[in-house]
Amino acid sequence: MKYYSLNKNTNEVRFDEAVIRGIAPDKGLYFPEEIPQLPASFWNTIEDLSKEEIAFTVMKPFIGDAIDDVSLKEIVADVLSFDFPVVTIEDTIATLELFHGPTMAFKDVGARFMARCLGYFLDKQDQKDEVTVLVATSGDTGGAVARGFYKVPGIKVVILYPSGKVSDIQEKQLTTLGENITALEVDGNFDDCQAMVKKAFLDTDITNKRQLTSANSINVARWLPQSLYYLFAYKELKKQGKADNIVFSVPSGNFGNICAGMVAHLMGMPVQQFVASVNSNTTIPRFMQSGVYKPEPTIPTISNAMDVSDPSNFVRVLQLFENDRNLLSQKFSSYSYSDEETRVAMKEIREQHNYIADPHGAVGYLGLKAYLKDAPKAYGVFLETAHPVKFLPAVEPVVGKITELPEQIASLMDSEKVAIPASNYEDLKKYLMK
Ligand SMILES: *Cc1c(COP(=O)(O)O)cnc(C)c1O
């Protein structure tokens, strides 16, 4: 499989080069030259296949011979070593829980897959250069990346996060690992962190000294494996006889997750509709209405992992449908919800269904409900993208105190925070030049 840049001003590359580069030299996102089709035999027997078998079959055509079969099997088994349960909420609604990984967010899947691919490619290189992964985080990404790359040989990770603007649990996830993971606590907001990272990538003093790479969701190794858990949900629902008219509602920010689900559909998985549920950052629902793509300044919300006004992966969503908004709208709808509506939904899910959703999942629930109103035959699945304990300040005032912490989190709370304070770009540069 070859990958081309969506800006179309540079050469096609193999999977390994696309992963190592992250973004193409012409600043475009890499995109597979074709979406592989899986044979009818795969779809007919999917109930009998293990997670690992499904994952290998789906990922293999995207990776080609960039990773040998034995290693790819090991990588997917290692990456997917936790559960992806489909939990029934009401008659025709279930949630796909994506928070059973080490940092309790769906990003664990992509981050772990990317880390293992990069580790594999570095190991194959003759001269073993060290690579520095540099990321800015508003909370969730940093934890998943830190954990995914923890102790991967040849890779150092430097994470910038805005001081006082991530939850206590998220901060612990960023700052307590040690080893090859360093956290920089930035005196500023997320945009400041992101600006510092961008500047570092363009600073030749730094890039002459270190090979820098990013681990955000534009990397194909983070994006594509996210299609796998849609297939796990499909398998489960097919077993239960509920797979005829599935609607997936995906809480969306940069639109990498939903785009991966749509890739699974185009590979042959039957899905009636994808619903992109967003918060008050409404660029995409407005685009679907009017055809005008016009990002407004980002609005902070309680579902802050989706506070994105110019979603980087939306060009890929469009590309999957030949950049035709009408064609896209036959498989894709988008709805937005305010924080107030999100709180009401969390309360409703708690009181009527005895389930605690996090704010992102609650936005997904609302979008699903809206779509299902006019789709009586459909079976709806909203993705629970993070565990509610990661967003306690938003969740507890609505559903009450959560006293029991999951094991992954409880064990963190006693570990000591270690972070390097950074008040400006020079502090980051000083650290990277060391
Ligand atoms: C990152 C994130 C999202 C948004 O996912 P995208 O792939 O960027 O659309 C939603 N929910 C949670 C909890 C996240 O961490």
Side-chain angles (χ1 to χ4, degrees), residues 172-207:
K172 287 279 187 187
Q173 289 182 326
L174 298 171
T175 59
T176 58
L177 287 170
E179 299 272 349
N180 59 331
I181 313 294
T182 304
L184 263 61
E185 182 175 2
V186 175
D187 182 14
N189 59 26
F190 172 61
D191 290 326
D192 298 324
C193 296
Q194 206 152 28
M196 285 163 71
V197 165
K198 280 197 179 142
K199 200 164 167 184
F201 275 96
L202 299 172
D203 188 332
T204 47
D205 291 345
I206 295 171
T207 54

PDB file of all heavy atoms in Angstrom, residues 172-207:
ATOM      1  N   LYS A 172      -1.612  13.414  36.650  1.00  0.00           N
ATOM      2  CA  LYS A 172      -0.867  12.260  37.173  1.00  0.00           C
ATOM      3  C   LYS A 172      -0.434  11.342  36.038  1.00  0.00           C
ATOM      4  O   LYS A 172       0.678  10.809  36.026  1.00  0.00           O
ATOM      5  CB  LYS A 172      -1.731  11.470  38.157  1.00  0.00           C
ATOM      6  CG  LYS A 172      -1.925  12.170  39.495  1.00  0.00           C
ATOM      7  CD  LYS A 172      -0.745  11.970  40.417  1.00  0.00           C
ATOM      8  CE  LYS A 172      -1.057  12.544  41.803  1.00  0.00           C
ATOM      9  NZ  LYS A 172       0.111  12.539  42.698  1.00  0.00           N
ATOM     10  N   GLN A 173      -1.340  11.142  35.066  1.00  0.00           N
ATOM     11  CA  GLN A 173      -1.005  10.246  33.955  1.00  0.00           C
ATOM     12  C   GLN A 173       0.168  10.771  33.131  1.00  0.00           C
ATOM     13  O   GLN A 173       0.912  10.008  32.542  1.00  0.00           O
ATOM     14  CB  GLN A 173      -2.224  10.052  33.049  1.00  0.00           C
ATOM     15  CG  GLN A 173      -3.304   9.204  33.723  1.00  0.00           C
ATOM     16  CD  GLN A 173      -4.506   8.964  32.825  1.00  0.00           C
ATOM     17  OE1 GLN A 173      -4.860   9.823  32.035  1.00  0.00           O
ATOM     18  NE2 GLN A 173      -5.124   7.814  32.955  1.00  0.00           N
ATOM     19  N   LEU A 174       0.320  12.110  33.109  1.00  0.00           N
ATOM     20  CA  LEU A 174       1.389  12.714  32.318  1.00  0.00           C
ATOM     21  C   LEU A 174       2.716  12.758  33.051  1.00  0.00           C
ATOM     22  O   LEU A 174       3.776  12.750  32.435  1.00  0.00           O
ATOM     23  CB  LEU A 174       1.025  14.166  31.976  1.00  0.00           C
ATOM     24  CG  LEU A 174      -0.219  14.402  31.142  1.00  0.00           C
ATOM     25  CD1 LEU A 174      -0.537  15.886  31.101  1.00  0.00           C
ATOM     26  CD2 LEU A 174       0.039  13.874  29.751  1.00  0.00           C
ATOM     27  N   THR A 175       2.658  12.880  34.373  1.00  0.00           N
ATOM     28  CA  THR A 175       3.846  13.324  35.112  1.00  0.00           C
ATOM     29  C   THR A 175       4.449  12.275  36.038  1.00  0.00           C
ATOM     30  O   THR A 175       5.408  12.581  36.745  1.00  0.00           O
ATOM     31  CB  THR A 175       3.497  14.559  35.980  1.00  0.00           C
ATOM     32  OG1 THR A 175       2.446  14.183  36.892  1.00  0.00           O
ATOM     33  CG2 THR A 175       3.066  15.731  35.146  1.00  0.00           C
ATOM     34  N   THR A 176       3.908  11.065  36.049  1.00  0.00           N
ATOM     35  CA  THR A 176       4.401  10.113  37.052  1.00  0.00           C
ATOM     36  C   THR A 176       5.152   8.922  36.458  1.00  0.00           C
ATOM     37  O   THR A 176       5.610   8.059  37.201  1.00  0.00           O
ATOM     38  CB  THR A 176       3.233   9.561  37.901  1.00  0.00           C
ATOM     39  OG1 THR A 176       2.291   8.953  37.024  1.00  0.00           O
ATOM     40  CG2 THR A 176       2.551  10.667  38.695  1.00  0.00           C
ATOM     41  N   LEU A 177       5.290   8.863  35.139  1.00  0.00           N
ATOM     42  CA  LEU A 177       5.910   7.668  34.556  1.00  0.00           C
ATOM     43  C   LEU A 177       7.436   7.659  34.684  1.00  0.00           C
ATOM     44  O   LEU A 177       8.038   6.654  35.028  1.00  0.00           O
ATOM     45  CB  LEU A 177       5.514   7.525  33.076  1.00  0.00           C
ATOM     46  CG  LEU A 177       4.067   7.094  32.819  1.00  0.00           C
ATOM     47  CD1 LEU A 177       3.736   7.236  31.341  1.00  0.00           C
ATOM     48  CD2 LEU A 177       3.845   5.668  33.263  1.00  0.00           C
ATOM     49  N   GLY A 178       8.074   8.810  34.374  1.00  0.00           N
ATOM     50  CA  GLY A 178       9.533   8.837  34.397  1.00  0.00           C
ATOM     51  C   GLY A 178      10.113   8.082  33.209  1.00  0.00           C
ATOM     52  O   GLY A 178       9.506   8.030  32.145  1.00  0.00           O
ATOM     53  N   GLU A 179      11.316   7.495  33.410  1.00  0.00           N
ATOM     54  CA  GLU A 179      12.016   6.779  32.322  1.00  0.00           C
ATOM     55  C   GLU A 179      12.187   7.688  31.099  1.00  0.00           C
ATOM     56  O   GLU A 179      12.740   8.762  31.233  1.00  0.00           O
ATOM     57  CB  GLU A 179      11.257   5.498  31.943  1.00  0.00           C
ATOM     58  CG  GLU A 179      11.132   4.495  33.092  1.00  0.00           C
ATOM     59  CD  GLU A 179      12.314   3.539  33.185  1.00  0.00           C
ATOM     60  OE1 GLU A 179      13.149   3.496  32.261  1.00  0.00           O
ATOM     61  OE2 GLU A 179      12.412   2.819  34.201  1.00  0.00           O
ATOM     62  N   ASN A 180      11.634   7.264  29.945  1.00  0.00           N
ATOM     63  CA  ASN A 180      11.829   8.040  28.705  1.00  0.00           C
ATOM     64  C   ASN A 180      10.749   9.115  28.492  1.00  0.00           C
ATOM     65  O   ASN A 180      10.646   9.680  27.421  1.00  0.00           O
ATOM     66  CB  ASN A 180      11.856   7.100  27.484  1.00  0.00           C
ATOM     67  CG  ASN A 180      10.570   6.296  27.346  1.00  0.00           C
ATOM     68  OD1 ASN A 180       9.904   6.006  28.338  1.00  0.00           O
ATOM     69  ND2 ASN A 180      10.218   5.939  26.128  1.00  0.00           N
ATOM     70  N   ILE A 181       9.950   9.371  29.528  1.00  0.00           N
ATOM     71  CA  ILE A 181       8.848  10.333  29.392  1.00  0.00           C
ATOM     72  C   ILE A 181       9.139  11.585  30.230  1.00  0.00           C
ATOM     73  O   ILE A 181       9.395  11.475  31.428  1.00  0.00           O
ATOM     74  CB  ILE A 181       7.514   9.729  29.909  1.00  0.00           C
ATOM     75  CG1 ILE A 181       7.285   8.317  29.370  1.00  0.00           C
ATOM     76  CG2 ILE A 181       6.346  10.672  29.600  1.00  0.00           C
ATOM     77  CD1 ILE A 181       7.071   8.187  27.901  1.00  0.00           C
ATOM     78  N   THR A 182       9.108  12.759  29.606  1.00  0.00           N
ATOM     79  CA  THR A 182       9.308  14.006  30.336  1.00  0.00           C
ATOM     80  C   THR A 182       8.093  14.918  30.136  1.00  0.00           C
ATOM     81  O   THR A 182       7.627  15.084  29.009  1.00  0.00           O
ATOM     82  CB  THR A 182      10.559  14.754  29.817  1.00  0.00           C
ATOM     83  OG1 THR A 182      11.667  13.870  29.930  1.00  0.00           O
ATOM     84  CG2 THR A 182      10.825  16.013  30.634  1.00  0.00           C
ATOM     85  N   ALA A 183       7.599  15.485  31.217  1.00  0.00           N
ATOM     86  CA  ALA A 183       6.474  16.415  31.116  1.00  0.00           C
ATOM     87  C   ALA A 183       6.958  17.836  31.362  1.00  0.00           C
ATOM     88  O   ALA A 183       7.702  18.091  32.309  1.00  0.00           O
ATOM     89  CB  ALA A 183       5.398  16.044  32.132  1.00  0.00           C
ATOM     90  N   LEU A 184       6.566  18.753  30.492  1.00  0.00           N
ATOM     91  CA  LEU A 184       6.833  20.175  30.691  1.00  0.00           C
ATOM     92  C   LEU A 184       5.518  20.864  31.040  1.00  0.00           C
ATOM     93  O   LEU A 184       4.561  20.817  30.260  1.00  0.00           O
ATOM     94  CB  LEU A 184       7.431  20.801  29.420  1.00  0.00           C
ATOM     95  CG  LEU A 184       8.956  20.930  29.377  1.00  0.00           C
ATOM     96  CD1 LEU A 184       9.611  19.574  29.479  1.00  0.00           C
ATOM     97  CD2 LEU A 184       9.415  21.648  28.119  1.00  0.00           C
ATOM     98  N   GLU A 185       5.505  21.487  32.206  1.00  0.00           N
ATOM     99  CA  GLU A 185       4.295  22.157  32.681  1.00  0.00           C
ATOM    100  C   GLU A 185       4.364  23.615  32.248  1.00  0.00           C
ATOM    101  O   GLU A 185       5.195  24.380  32.752  1.00  0.00           O
ATOM    102  CB  GLU A 185       4.218  22.036  34.211  1.00  0.00           C
ATOM    103  CG  GLU A 185       2.990  22.660  34.807  1.00  0.00           C
ATOM    104  CD  GLU A 185       2.898  22.395  36.319  1.00  0.00           C
ATOM    105  OE1 GLU A 185       3.802  21.754  36.899  1.00  0.00           O
ATOM    106  OE2 GLU A 185       1.901  22.860  36.915  1.00  0.00           O
ATOM    107  N   VAL A 186       3.507  23.972  31.289  1.00  0.00           N
ATOM    108  CA  VAL A 186       3.625  25.271  30.643  1.00  0.00           C
ATOM    109  C   VAL A 186       2.721  26.296  31.318  1.00  0.00           C
ATOM    110  O   VAL A 186       1.536  26.048  31.545  1.00  0.00           O
ATOM    111  CB  VAL A 186       3.266  25.151  29.141  1.00  0.00           C
ATOM    112  CG1 VAL A 186       3.255  26.524  28.475  1.00  0.00           C
ATOM    113  CG2 VAL A 186       4.253  24.226  28.446  1.00  0.00           C
ATOM    114  N   ASP A 187       3.318  27.439  31.599  1.00  0.00           N
ATOM    115  CA  ASP A 187       2.567  28.558  32.162  1.00  0.00           C
ATOM    116  C   ASP A 187       1.808  29.217  31.003  1.00  0.00           C
ATOM    117  O   ASP A 187       2.298  30.146  30.376  1.00  0.00           O
ATOM    118  CB  ASP A 187       3.593  29.521  32.792  1.00  0.00           C
ATOM    119  CG  ASP A 187       2.919  30.690  33.458  1.00  0.00           C
ATOM    120  OD1 ASP A 187       1.696  30.625  33.670  1.00  0.00           O
ATOM    121  OD2 ASP A 187       3.629  31.674  33.744  1.00  0.00           O
ATOM    122  N   GLY A 188       0.615  28.693  30.687  1.00  0.00           N
ATOM    123  CA  GLY A 188      -0.156  29.194  29.546  1.00  0.00           C
ATOM    124  C   GLY A 188      -1.306  28.250  29.265  1.00  0.00           C
ATOM    125  O   GLY A 188      -1.581  27.359  30.071  1.00  0.00           O
ATOM    126  N   ASN A 189      -1.981  28.416  28.117  1.00  0.00           N
ATOM    127  CA  ASN A 189      -3.080  27.515  27.791  1.00  0.00           C
ATOM    128  C   ASN A 189      -2.657  26.507  26.724  1.00  0.00           C
ATOM    129  O   ASN A 189      -1.495  26.495  26.288  1.00  0.00           O
ATOM    130  CB  ASN A 189      -4.330  28.312  27.380  1.00  0.00           C
ATOM    131  CG  ASN A 189      -4.067  29.197  26.176  1.00  0.00           C
ATOM    132  OD1 ASN A 189      -3.178  28.907  25.365  1.00  0.00           O
ATOM    133  ND2 ASN A 189      -4.802  30.283  26.052  1.00  0.00           N
ATOM    134  N   PHE A 190      -3.611  25.678  26.275  1.00  0.00           N
ATOM    135  CA  PHE A 190      -3.273  24.638  25.304  1.00  0.00           C
ATOM    136  C   PHE A 190      -2.735  25.232  23.996  1.00  0.00           C
ATOM    137  O   PHE A 190      -1.786  24.697  23.408  1.00  0.00           O
ATOM    138  CB  PHE A 190      -4.501  23.761  25.032  1.00  0.00           C
ATOM    139  CG  PHE A 190      -4.305  22.799  23.909  1.00  0.00           C
ATOM    140  CD1 PHE A 190      -3.311  21.821  23.961  1.00  0.00           C
ATOM    141  CD2 PHE A 190      -5.103  22.861  22.771  1.00  0.00           C
ATOM    142  CE1 PHE A 190      -3.130  20.921  22.915  1.00  0.00           C
ATOM    143  CE2 PHE A 190      -4.924  21.967  21.720  1.00  0.00           C
ATOM    144  CZ  PHE A 190      -3.940  21.008  21.792  1.00  0.00           C
ATOM    145  N   ASP A 191      -3.321  26.339  23.558  1.00  0.00           N
ATOM    146  CA  ASP A 191      -2.843  26.957  22.317  1.00  0.00           C
ATOM    147  C   ASP A 191      -1.378  27.384  22.434  1.00  0.00           C
ATOM    148  O   ASP A 191      -0.616  27.266  21.473  1.00  0.00           O
ATOM    149  CB  ASP A 191      -3.709  28.172  21.954  1.00  0.00           C
ATOM    150  CG  ASP A 191      -5.103  27.748  21.520  1.00  0.00           C
ATOM    151  OD1 ASP A 191      -5.224  26.674  20.902  1.00  0.00           O
ATOM    152  OD2 ASP A 191      -6.069  28.472  21.813  1.00  0.00           O
ATOM    153  N   ASP A 192      -0.991  27.877  23.626  1.00  0.00           N
ATOM    154  CA  ASP A 192       0.418  28.245  23.838  1.00  0.00           C
ATOM    155  C   ASP A 192       1.312  27.011  23.703  1.00  0.00           C
ATOM    156  O   ASP A 192       2.383  27.056  23.093  1.00  0.00           O
ATOM    157  CB  ASP A 192       0.620  28.863  25.229  1.00  0.00           C
ATOM    158  CG  ASP A 192      -0.185  30.158  25.413  1.00  0.00           C
ATOM    159  OD1 ASP A 192      -0.306  30.908  24.424  1.00  0.00           O
ATOM    160  OD2 ASP A 192      -0.693  30.392  26.526  1.00  0.00           O
ATOM    161  N   CYS A 193       0.867  25.898  24.286  1.00  0.00           N
ATOM    162  CA  CYS A 193       1.649  24.652  24.203  1.00  0.00           C
ATOM    163  C   CYS A 193       1.812  24.243  22.742  1.00  0.00           C
ATOM    164  O   CYS A 193       2.904  23.885  22.285  1.00  0.00           O
ATOM    165  CB  CYS A 193       0.945  23.516  24.945  1.00  0.00           C
ATOM    166  SG  CYS A 193       0.772  23.782  26.713  1.00  0.00           S
ATOM    167  N   GLN A 194       0.691  24.307  21.999  1.00  0.00           N
ATOM    168  CA  GLN A 194       0.734  23.887  20.606  1.00  0.00           C
ATOM    169  C   GLN A 194       1.638  24.807  19.772  1.00  0.00           C
ATOM    170  O   GLN A 194       2.382  24.341  18.913  1.00  0.00           O
ATOM    171  CB  GLN A 194      -0.686  23.911  20.038  1.00  0.00           C
ATOM    172  CG  GLN A 194      -0.853  22.959  18.900  1.00  0.00           C
ATOM    173  CD  GLN A 194      -2.289  22.463  18.781  1.00  0.00           C
ATOM    174  OE1 GLN A 194      -3.230  23.140  19.165  1.00  0.00           O
ATOM    175  NE2 GLN A 194      -2.445  21.277  18.248  1.00  0.00           N
ATOM    176  N   ALA A 195       1.589  26.102  20.065  1.00  0.00           N
ATOM    177  CA  ALA A 195       2.444  27.057  19.341  1.00  0.00           C
ATOM    178  C   ALA A 195       3.918  26.770  19.609  1.00  0.00           C
ATOM    179  O   ALA A 195       4.760  26.836  18.697  1.00  0.00           O
ATOM    180  CB  ALA A 195       2.091  28.487  19.758  1.00  0.00           C
ATOM    181  N   MET A 196       4.259  26.408  20.853  1.00  0.00           N
ATOM    182  CA  MET A 196       5.656  26.091  21.180  1.00  0.00           C
ATOM    183  C   MET A 196       6.122  24.853  20.427  1.00  0.00           C
ATOM    184  O   MET A 196       7.248  24.797  19.919  1.00  0.00           O
ATOM    185  CB  MET A 196       5.796  25.873  22.699  1.00  0.00           C
ATOM    186  CG  MET A 196       5.744  27.187  23.486  1.00  0.00           C
ATOM    187  SD  MET A 196       5.413  26.944  25.265  1.00  0.00           S
ATOM    188  CE  MET A 196       6.947  26.232  25.832  1.00  0.00           C
ATOM    189  N   VAL A 197       5.247  23.858  20.332  1.00  0.00           N
ATOM    190  CA  VAL A 197       5.604  22.628  19.620  1.00  0.00           C
ATOM    191  C   VAL A 197       5.825  22.921  18.136  1.00  0.00           C
ATOM    192  O   VAL A 197       6.816  22.496  17.534  1.00  0.00           O
ATOM    193  CB  VAL A 197       4.503  21.545  19.809  1.00  0.00           C
ATOM    194  CG1 VAL A 197       4.663  20.416  18.810  1.00  0.00           C
ATOM    195  CG2 VAL A 197       4.542  21.009  21.237  1.00  0.00           C
ATOM    196  N   LYS A 198       4.913  23.697  17.561  1.00  0.00           N
ATOM    197  CA  LYS A 198       5.044  24.038  16.129  1.00  0.00           C
ATOM    198  C   LYS A 198       6.358  24.762  15.865  1.00  0.00           C
ATOM    199  O   LYS A 198       7.045  24.499  14.888  1.00  0.00           O
ATOM    200  CB  LYS A 198       3.876  24.924  15.694  1.00  0.00           C
ATOM    201  CG  LYS A 198       2.620  24.118  15.430  1.00  0.00           C
ATOM    202  CD  LYS A 198       1.606  24.916  14.627  1.00  0.00           C
ATOM    203  CE  LYS A 198       0.367  24.068  14.372  1.00  0.00           C
ATOM    204  NZ  LYS A 198      -0.863  24.843  14.454  1.00  0.00           N
ATOM    205  N   LYS A 199       6.707  25.689  16.761  1.00  0.00           N
ATOM    206  CA  LYS A 199       7.933  26.465  16.601  1.00  0.00           C
ATOM    207  C   LYS A 199       9.166  25.557  16.670  1.00  0.00           C
ATOM    208  O   LYS A 199      10.103  25.714  15.889  1.00  0.00           O
ATOM    209  CB  LYS A 199       7.979  27.542  17.701  1.00  0.00           C
ATOM    210  CG  LYS A 199       8.893  28.694  17.401  1.00  0.00           C
ATOM    211  CD  LYS A 199       8.590  29.877  18.312  1.00  0.00           C
ATOM    212  CE  LYS A 199       9.710  30.898  18.207  1.00  0.00           C
ATOM    213  NZ  LYS A 199       9.527  32.015  19.140  1.00  0.00           N
ATOM    214  N   ALA A 200       9.126  24.603  17.572  1.00  0.00           N
ATOM    215  CA  ALA A 200      10.266  23.693  17.723  1.00  0.00           C
ATOM    216  C   ALA A 200      10.495  22.882  16.442  1.00  0.00           C
ATOM    217  O   ALA A 200      11.637  22.661  16.028  1.00  0.00           O
ATOM    218  CB  ALA A 200      10.050  22.757  18.915  1.00  0.00           C
ATOM    219  N   PHE A 201       9.397  22.458  15.787  1.00  0.00           N
ATOM    220  CA  PHE A 201       9.537  21.678  14.558  1.00  0.00           C
ATOM    221  C   PHE A 201      10.199  22.481  13.434  1.00  0.00           C
ATOM    222  O   PHE A 201      10.785  21.919  12.530  1.00  0.00           O
ATOM    223  CB  PHE A 201       8.168  21.153  14.091  1.00  0.00           C
ATOM    224  CG  PHE A 201       7.772  19.866  14.764  1.00  0.00           C
ATOM    225  CD1 PHE A 201       6.945  19.853  15.876  1.00  0.00           C
ATOM    226  CD2 PHE A 201       8.256  18.647  14.290  1.00  0.00           C
ATOM    227  CE1 PHE A 201       6.591  18.675  16.505  1.00  0.00           C
ATOM    228  CE2 PHE A 201       7.899  17.454  14.917  1.00  0.00           C
ATOM    229  CZ  PHE A 201       7.077  17.468  16.025  1.00  0.00           C
ATOM    230  N   LEU A 202      10.088  23.815  13.505  1.00  0.00           N
ATOM    231  CA  LEU A 202      10.661  24.663  12.458  1.00  0.00           C
ATOM    232  C   LEU A 202      12.030  25.228  12.854  1.00  0.00           C
ATOM    233  O   LEU A 202      12.644  25.950  12.086  1.00  0.00           O
ATOM    234  CB  LEU A 202       9.704  25.830  12.162  1.00  0.00           C
ATOM    235  CG  LEU A 202       8.324  25.424  11.652  1.00  0.00           C
ATOM    236  CD1 LEU A 202       7.390  26.628  11.577  1.00  0.00           C
ATOM    237  CD2 LEU A 202       8.439  24.732  10.300  1.00  0.00           C
ATOM    238  N   ASP A 203      12.493  24.920  14.051  1.00  0.00           N
ATOM    239  CA  ASP A 203      13.727  25.505  14.573  1.00  0.00           C
ATOM    240  C   ASP A 203      14.912  24.598  14.226  1.00  0.00           C
ATOM    241  O   ASP A 203      15.078  23.527  14.805  1.00  0.00           O
ATOM    242  CB  ASP A 203      13.575  25.652  16.102  1.00  0.00           C
ATOM    243  CG  ASP A 203      14.715  26.429  16.726  1.00  0.00           C
ATOM    244  OD1 ASP A 203      15.838  26.400  16.174  1.00  0.00           O
ATOM    245  OD2 ASP A 203      14.478  27.060  17.783  1.00  0.00           O
ATOM    246  N   THR A 204      15.742  25.029  13.256  1.00  0.00           N
ATOM    247  CA  THR A 204      16.813  24.143  12.778  1.00  0.00           C
ATOM    248  C   THR A 204      17.884  23.894  13.840  1.00  0.00           C
ATOM    249  O   THR A 204      18.560  22.869  13.791  1.00  0.00           O
ATOM    250  CB  THR A 204      17.477  24.703  11.507  1.00  0.00           C
ATOM    251  OG1 THR A 204      17.757  26.087  11.726  1.00  0.00           O
ATOM    252  CG2 THR A 204      16.567  24.546  10.308  1.00  0.00           C
ATOM    253  N   ASP A 205      18.058  24.821  14.799  1.00  0.00           N
ATOM    254  CA  ASP A 205      18.994  24.527  15.901  1.00  0.00           C
ATOM    255  C   ASP A 205      18.601  23.207  16.553  1.00  0.00           C
ATOM    256  O   ASP A 205      19.448  22.373  16.870  1.00  0.00           O
ATOM    257  CB  ASP A 205      18.935  25.614  16.992  1.00  0.00           C
ATOM    258  CG  ASP A 205      19.503  26.929  16.500  1.00  0.00           C
ATOM    259  OD1 ASP A 205      20.183  26.914  15.453  1.00  0.00           O
ATOM    260  OD2 ASP A 205      19.243  27.961  17.154  1.00  0.00           O
ATOM    261  N   ILE A 206      17.288  23.036  16.734  1.00  0.00           N
ATOM    262  CA  ILE A 206      16.802  21.825  17.403  1.00  0.00           C
ATOM    263  C   ILE A 206      16.803  20.635  16.448  1.00  0.00           C
ATOM    264  O   ILE A 206      17.289  19.558  16.783  1.00  0.00           O
ATOM    265  CB  ILE A 206      15.378  22.049  17.967  1.00  0.00           C
ATOM    266  CG1 ILE A 206      15.411  23.121  19.063  1.00  0.00           C
ATOM    267  CG2 ILE A 206      14.805  20.753  18.526  1.00  0.00           C
ATOM    268  CD1 ILE A 206      14.033  23.569  19.530  1.00  0.00           C
ATOM    269  N   THR A 207      16.266  20.837  15.223  1.00  0.00           N
ATOM    270  CA  THR A 207      16.108  19.683  14.324  1.00  0.00           C
ATOM    271  C   THR A 207      17.453  19.170  13.806  1.00  0.00           C
ATOM    272  O   THR A 207      17.557  18.032  13.377  1.00  0.00           O
ATOM    273  CB  THR A 207      15.173  20.011  13.136  1.00  0.00           C
ATOM    274  OG1 THR A 207      15.646  21.180  12.488  1.00  0.00           O
ATOM    275  CG2 THR A 207      13.746  20.236  13.622  1.00  0.00           C
TER     276      THR A 207
END
